[in-house]
């Protein structure tokens, strides 16, 4: 399992050909948001990032870089606790990018963002992937994922239902939502009890 909340009952997990215990270069967005916002509501956003950078031996000029990447440079002096949900989401992403990791795991990264913010984060995630990083995005927003993802993993009730490219998964003329519903409706785990389907 990627995060510390659920515990795997079996199997192994690895990234960059290392076991989970050695994933020091992977940044989880949940951890970044917790560290940068929950513990620093009264701090200015740049100060919260500075504390995080200092505790992880990250160069100070990286703070300005990540704030610019997520579009928060103009509000770096504002307190993080006063941010809107979308701004907090972007601040969490900035914190995740501080260490310049080769692997990024995003959990619903565009929740609470306005259309401009969604496009900015989508463009950012695709540019990070284009640099050769692994960018894993967990989301229920099929329309947004159709614009963001190149490769899909569909997981249902703990079982891998699909591992394929976007083009192979979505038939011509169909939507990602249509293809997803067709797949999950055919899976035994998603059949309603007593329907006989």
């Amino acid at each position: 399992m990627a995060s510390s909340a659920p515990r795997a009952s079996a199997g192994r997990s690895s990234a960059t050909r290392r076991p989970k215990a050695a994933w020091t270069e992977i940044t989880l967005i949940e951890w970044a948001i917790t560290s940068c916002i929950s513990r620093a509501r009264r701090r200015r956003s740049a100060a919260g990032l500075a504390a995080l950078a200092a505790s992880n031996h990250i160069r100070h000029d990286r703070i300005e870089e990540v704030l610019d990447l997520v579009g928060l440079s103009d509000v770096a002096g504002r307190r993080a606790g006063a941010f809107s949900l979308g701004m907090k989401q972007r601040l969490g992403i900035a914190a995740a990018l501080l260490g310049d990791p080769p692997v990024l795991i995003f959990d619903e990264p565009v929740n609470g963002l306005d259309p401009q913010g969604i496009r900015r984060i989508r463009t950012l995630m695709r540019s990070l992937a284009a640099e050769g990083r692994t960018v894993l995005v967990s989301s229920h927003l099929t329309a947004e994922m159709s614009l963001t993802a190149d490769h899909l993993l569909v997981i249902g009730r703990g079982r891998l239902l699909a591992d394929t490219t976007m083009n192979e998964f979505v038939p011509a003329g169909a939507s990602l939502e249509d293809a997803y519903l067709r797949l999950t409706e055919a899976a035994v785990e998603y059949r309603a009890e007593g329907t006989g389907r």
Side-chain angles (χ1 to χ4, degrees), residues 11-196:
R12 296 182 308 168
S13 59
S14 64
T16 60
R17 298 181 182 168
R18 297 181 182 183
K20 183 186 172 190
W23 286 12
T24 54
E25 63 274 88
I26 297 179
T27 305
L28 297 179
I29 196 69
E30 299 125 303
W31 171 84
I33 292 175
T34 299
S35 297
C36 194
I37 299 168
S38 298
R39 299 179 183 177
R41 290 185 180 276
R42 296 181 181 177
R43 286 185 177 176
R44 292 179 174 84
S45 58
L49 291 175
L52 193 57
S55 65
N56 288 277
H57 311 290
I58 297 168
R59 70 182 200 279
H60 191 78
D61 61 349
R62 179 68 179 156
I63 297 165
E64 187 175 338
E65 292 175 12
V66 297
L67 284 171
D68 185 58
L69 279 172
V70 299
L72 291 178
S73 295
D74 293 343
V75 293
R78 287 179 54 185
R79 297 185 188 282
F83 278 6
S84 66
L85 176 61
M87 292 170 72
K88 288 177 181 176
Q89 193 81 337
R90 285 193 279 160
L91 182 59
I93 292 172
L97 292 172
L98 266 179
D100 203 18
V103 179
L104 285 151
I105 302 173
F106 292 101
D107 183 20
E108 303 287 0
V110 298
N111 271 4
L113 300 187
D114 59 20
Q116 183 180 17
I118 290 172
R119 175 176 284 187
R120 180 186 289 273
I121 296 306
R122 181 198 312 142
T123 302
L124 172 61
M125 290 189 295
R126 291 193 64 85
S127 68
L128 291 168
E131 291 173 0
R133 302 171 200 261
T134 298
V135 179
L136 180 64
V137 182
S138 170
S139 179
H140 292 89
L141 304 176
T142 54
E144 179 56 31
M145 286 301 95
S146 68
L147 298 172
T148 305
D150 295 319
H151 195 96
L152 296 172
L153 297 173
V154 181
I155 301 171
R157 304 282 177 94
R159 190 164 67 91
L160 183 64
L161 302 179
D163 179 356
T164 184
T165 66
M166 181 71 74
N167 290 337
E168 291 172 343
F169 186 73
V170 182
S175 68
L176 176 57
E177 181 180 78
D178 292 336
Y180 170 80
L181 292 174
R182 190 178 304 115
L183 172 69
T184 55
E185 284 172 359
V188 174
E189 288 86 352
Y190 285 84
R191 294 181 186 172
E193 291 183 11
T195 62

